[in-house]
Amino acid sequence: MEKIHRNSQLMKTGLSVIISVILFTIGCATVQEKEKNVALERARAAYSQAQANPDISANAPVAMHEAAQSLQKAEQVKDVKEMEHLAYLAERQAQLAVAIAERKMAENERERLIKERDKILLEARERELERARSEAEARALELEQARKEAEAKAQESEIARLQSEEAIAKRKQLESELEELKAKQTERGIVLTL
C-alpha cells in the first residue's frame, strides 16, 4: 500500500509540475499577448487620433497611408518581435503625420497672415495716397483761387492805372484849356478871359 501511496504521491507531484509548467507557459504567452496588445493599442490609438482630425488627413495623406499600412501589417503578423516593430513604426508614422500636418497648417496660417498684412498695408497706402491726392487737390484749388485773386488785383491795378492815366490826361487837358483861356488865380477865384 505504501507503494501505491508513493506512486500516487509521485503522480500528484508530477501532475503538479506539469500543471505548473503549463500555467507558466500560459502565463508567459499571456504576458507576450498583453505586450503585443499594448504595442498594437498604442499604434491604433495614435492612428485613430490622427485619423479623427480631418486637417491631418488633408495635410499629410502620404504619412497617414504609410501609418495605416504599417498598422495593418502589425495586426496580421504572427511574430511578436516583428509585430512590435511594425506597431512602433505605425505609431511613429501617425505621430509624423500629425507633425507634418501641423507644420503645413502653420505654414498656411503664416501665408494667410502675410497676405492679410500685405492687404492691410496696401489699404493703408491707398488711404495715404487718397489723402495726399485730396490734399494736393485742395492745394491746387487754393493756388487757383490765389491766382484768380492775383489776376483780379492785377486787373484792379490796371483799371486804377488806366483811371489814373485818364485823370492825369483830363487834368492836363483842363490845365491846357485854362491856359488857353488865360485864366488867372485871384483872391476871389479864377478869372477867365473870353
Side-chain angles (χ1 to χ4, degrees):
M1 190 84 175
E2 208 174 291
K3 255 186 174 190
I4 295 175
H5 184 55
R6 232 200 240 153
N7 280 343
S8 169
Q9 197 71 12
L10 280 175
M11 279 176 78
K12 283 182 184 179
T13 306
L15 193 56
S16 292
V17 170
I18 291 173
I19 290 174
S20 296
V21 169
I22 290 172
L23 288 176
F24 179 74
T25 305
I26 291 172
C28 287
T30 304
V31 169
Q32 285 180 342
E33 188 64 33
K34 197 172 191 181
E35 287 175 5
K36 176 180 175 182
N37 287 340
V38 169
L40 269 176
E41 286 307 312
R42 276 199 328 259
R44 284 182 188 133
Y47 180 77
S48 295
Q49 187 177 8
Q51 190 178 29
N53 188 339
D55 290 333
I56 294 172
S57 297
N59 288 302
V62 174
M64 284 299 292
H65 178 70
E66 290 172 353
Q69 285 182 331
S70 294
L71 183 59
Q72 186 178 16
K73 286 178 186 176
E75 289 173 339
Q76 293 172 353
V77 77
K78 300 292 181 204
D79 183 37
V80 174
K81 291 283 185 194
E82 188 175 350
M83 182 282 310
E84 286 176 348
H85 174 70
L86 291 172
Y88 176 79
L89 282 178
E91 182 181 2
R92 293 296 176 241
Q93 287 167 337
Q95 292 169 346
L96 179 63
V98 170
I100 289 170
E102 286 175 349
R103 188 194 79 222
K104 282 188 180 180
M105 288 186 299
E107 287 173 358
N108 291 341
E109 180 66 11
R110 181 178 160 265
E111 288 175 16
R112 185 189 68 75
L113 290 173
I114 288 172
K115 286 178 183 177
E116 187 176 322
R117 181 201 65 196
D118 291 344
K119 180 183 173 189
I120 290 170
L121 288 175
L122 181 62
E123 288 172 354
R125 286 180 185 149
E126 287 174 353
R127 283 192 303 272
E128 182 66 25
L129 181 62
E130 186 59 36
R131 187 182 62 74
R133 187 179 296 129
S134 296
E135 287 177 1
E137 288 174 2
R139 185 70 179 136
L141 287 174
E142 287 176 7
L143 290 174
E144 182 63 21
Q145 187 174 356
R147 185 187 62 78
K148 285 180 181 178
E149 288 175 3
E151 284 178 0
K153 285 184 181 181
Q155 283 178 347
E156 286 176 7
S157 178
E158 182 64 21
I159 290 170
R161 186 187 63 79
L162 289 174
Q163 287 174 346
S164 173
E165 285 177 3
E166 193 178 307
I168 290 173
K170 252 189 181 182
R171 183 173 161 214
K172 283 185 181 180
Q173 182 186 4
L174 288 174
E175 284 177 355
S176 77
E177 284 178 7
L178 280 175
E179 253 183 57
E180 282 178 20
L181 294 175
K182 297 182 183 174
K184 293 182 185 173
Q185 182 76 25
T186 64
E187 288 179 15
R188 294 176 81 192
I190 294 178
V191 177
L192 296 177
T193 307
L194 297 174

